[in-house]
Amino acid sequence: MNYIRTFLAYCLAGFLVPYLWSYVSILGIYAGFAAAILIIGPVWYIVHYKGLIYQDSEAATVDMGAGIAIAVFTRDVLSKGVYNSFSSLPTIILLSIGAVFAAVVSHYFERRKGNPDV
């Protein structure tokens, strides 16, 4: 049941963020700040803080950013076609590089704190 709840929480984040972005994007240069406050913050609170995403202490976790990226990429593939979605591949690649970098830095800090299990 935990995995179904986690899947649905990622679906919620993947649906709400792109849907609500269309309303926030009219703010131009301030859209990122508005999205962080009005969309990402509340969705993070619901999904992570309230515990909708099951995070086992022995398993690697996937952040909701990856769920949102996969949902948006899949939406573009289904609506625009596979060929037209290739333009978003550089973003997906940079997202993957950033995720690997974040994991390495997190591992380094956990080791410095004295956690040998990481």
Side-chain angles (χ1 to χ4, degrees), residues 21-107:
W21 175 257
S22 63
Y23 295 109
V24 177
S25 64
I26 61 171
L27 297 175
I29 196 167
Y30 301 107
F33 295 111
I37 294 168
L38 300 173
I39 302 171
I40 302 298
V43 170
W44 183 91
Y45 177 78
I46 292 169
V47 171
H48 284 292
Y49 189 74
K50 288 297 184 181
L52 288 181
I53 292 180
Y54 175 69
Q55 296 180 349
D56 189 12
S57 62
E58 299 296 320
T61 59
V62 178
D63 192 38
M64 70 179 201
I68 293 167
I70 292 169
V72 171
F73 183 74
T74 304
R75 179 197 65 188
D76 287 347
V77 167
L78 294 175
S79 65
K80 298 177 184 174
V82 175
Y83 182 73
N84 291 329
S85 297
F86 283 132
S87 63
S88 63
L89 280 181
T91 304
I92 298 293
I93 291 169
L94 288 175
L95 174 79
S96 302
I97 291 170
V100 169
F101 180 70
V104 169
V105 170
S106 174
H107 178 76

Side-chain angles (χ1 to χ4, degrees), residues 104-118:
V104 169
V105 170
S106 174
H107 178 76
Y108 173 76
F109 282 119
E110 286 292 323
R111 284 292 185 132
R112 287 211 44 170
K113 278 187 356 184
N115 188 357
D117 295 334
V118 180

